[in-house]
Amino acid sequence: MTPHTRACILSTGDELITGQLQDTNMRWLASELTIMGISVVQCATVPDDLETLTATMLRLTTCAPLLIVSGGLGPTEGDLTRHALAEAMSDQLVTDDAAQRWLDEFLRSRGRNWNALQARQTLRPSRARMLPNAVGTAPGLHGVVGEGVLGCDVFCLPGPPNELSAMWRASVLPALRPPADQTVRTRLLHVIGIGEADLASKLGPMMARTRLPLIGVTASQGVLTLRLRYAGPGSRLDADAAIDADVAALSAQLGDNILGDGSLSTSELMIAALGRAGKTLAVAESCTGGLLGAMLTQVPGSSTSFSGGLIVYSNGLKTALAGVPSELIAEHGAVSSQVAAALASGARERTAASYALAITGIAGPDGGSVAKPVGTVYIGLAGGATEPEVRHFRFSGTREDVRARAAGSALGMLHFELRQTNPRPKLLWQQGDAQTAAC
Ligand code: ATP
Ligand code: MG
C-alpha cells in the first residue's frame, strides 16, 4: 500500500468562504500531519455547493495519496460531503444499518424525536466505511478514490473542532501510513532585536531551503520565531543531534538576540529568567492599562518573580501612586521619556522590586499630534544602571496592536538588561538609541 507521504486538506462551508468563520480545522490538521512527517501539499476551501465540492475533491485526490475533508457531514441540505464522496468514488449512497441503529438509540437515550433529515447522516457510499463519532451525531467517512498506486484515502470528518479532533485520534491516526524511513523533529527559538532581513543575511546558507534541518522564520509582534525542522532519514537521536548542532551554531551567531525556547511565551521566558537571576519585577502602566501585568501573571508560579504593579492612567495617579512630580508632567507631557523614567523609578522605589518597567504612550486611535503621533510610546526600565533606561517607540497598527507591542517590547528591554548586553540592541519600532534618562 502506498505510504501517506503527502496529503491535501479540503475545508467546506459557506461560513468559511464568506469570511464569517476562521478555518481553525485546516491549521490544526496541517500541524498534525506535519508533525507526523506527512507533507501537506495543498489546502482548499469550497462553499456548500455539490459541483464545486466534488470537482475539488477529485482534483485533490490526484495530488496526494491522502485527503482530509472537514465539515459538511450534518443533516441539513447544505451538508454535501457524503454526496460528493459518492460521486468522486463513482458510487451510490446506501443506508448504513449500524449507523441507523446507533442514531435511533442516541436519539432515544436523549428523549429526542427522529427527524427525517437525520436520515442523511446514516448514508454512506456503498464502498466507504463510517467512522464513529464519540462526541456528536455526524459519523465520519473513509473511502478510496482511484485504484492501486493512484488510490487516495479520503477521510471526511465533521466540522465542529472537538468532533473533528476526537475522530482524528480515534479513527484516522490508526489508519495512517506515514513515511517509515522519515524522522520528524521540530524545535522553535524566539529571537529579538534583529530584523528579518538582517537575520537572513547573517545566517546566510543556514537558511537554504534545501538544508536539513530546514530553518524557517516567522515574525509576530516584534519577535522572530525560528523553526528548525528535521524531516529526513535516521533515528530520533540523529535528528535531535542535528538540531542541537544548529542551535549551537545559531547561539554563536546571534548571541543575546536569542530570547529562548520558542515553544514558550515571552512572559514565560522572562519570568524564568528573573527566577534564575533571583530578581523581582514590578510594572507601572499607563496606555497598556495592566496588560503587561496580565501577561506576566498568566504564567503559573509568576509570583516568585513578579511583585505587582500600578495602573496609572491619569496624570493624578502617576503622581499619587508613582511619585512622578506634577511639574515634570506639565513640562514634558505624560508621554515623554522623562515621565517614563520617573514612573519606572517611582514604581521600583514604592514596590521594592529589583526592576520596574514603565509604559506611557498614545495607543490611539485619537489623541495623537504631529510631535507625538498615535503609536508613540516611551518605555522605562529602572533597576539596572544608576539612571533608568528609556526607549522611544513608534508602534504601527491598531490600538490593540500598539498596546500588545508596547508590552512585548518592555519584556524585550528586560531581556537585554538581564543579559547585560552592551551596547543594547535596538528593538523593532524603536526610534533612536536607548537612553539613560535623568528624571
Ligand atoms: P454538523 O453536524 O455540526 O452540521 P458538519 O460536519 O456538517 O457537522 P459543518 O456544518 O460544516 O459540520 O460545521 C458545523 C460547525 O463546525 C460550524 O458552524 C463551525 O462552528 C464549525 N466548523 C466547521 N468547519 C470549521 C473549520 N474549518 N474550522 C473551525 N470550525 C469549523
Ligand atoms: Mg453541518
Side-chain angles (χ1 to χ4, degrees), residues 72-76 79:
L73 289 173
T76 68
D79 291 314

Side-chain angles (χ1 to χ4, degrees), residues 166-318:
M167 196 177 287
W168 170 264
R169 291 193 184 96
S171 302
V172 184
L173 276 185
L176 290 186
R177 300 186 296 276
D181 55 347
Q182 282 250 111
T183 296
V184 182
R185 301 285 286 166
T186 303
R187 205 168 311 162
L188 302 172
L189 275 185
H190 287 319
V191 172
I192 55 164
I194 184 167
E196 224 173 322
D198 287 342
L199 179 86
S201 54
K202 203 163 184 179
L203 298 187
M206 278 193 91
M207 293 199 73
R209 301 292 302 159
T210 47
R211 204 172 162 277
L212 190 68
L214 178 64
I215 302 182
V217 59
T218 46
S220 173
Q221 305 289 42
V223 177
L224 299 179
T225 305
L226 290 177
R227 192 181 52 260
L228 292 83
R229 181 164 187 269
Y230 182 102
S235 68
R236 196 174 147 156
L237 282 177
D238 298 331
D240 284 346
I243 292 179
D244 286 344
D246 268 9
V247 170
L250 287 169
S251 302
Q253 285 265 5
L254 300 172
D256 289 346
N257 288 109
I258 295 186
L259 190 63
D261 181 347
S263 65
L264 301 175
S265 68
T266 309
S267 345
E268 284 173 310
L269 291 170
M270 285 305 100
I271 290 291
L274 283 164
R276 281 195 301 274
K279 304 278 189 186
T280 55
L281 171 70
V283 297
E285 301 188 57
S286 183
C287 66
T288 46
L291 181 65
L292 180 55
M295 281 163 57
L296 289 161
T297 51
Q298 231 167 27
V299 183
S302 50
S303 62
T304 49
S305 307
F306 180 62
S307 311
L310 316 169
I311 300 178
V312 284
Y313 212 48
S314 69
N315 290 350
L317 279 195
K318 287 181 179 68

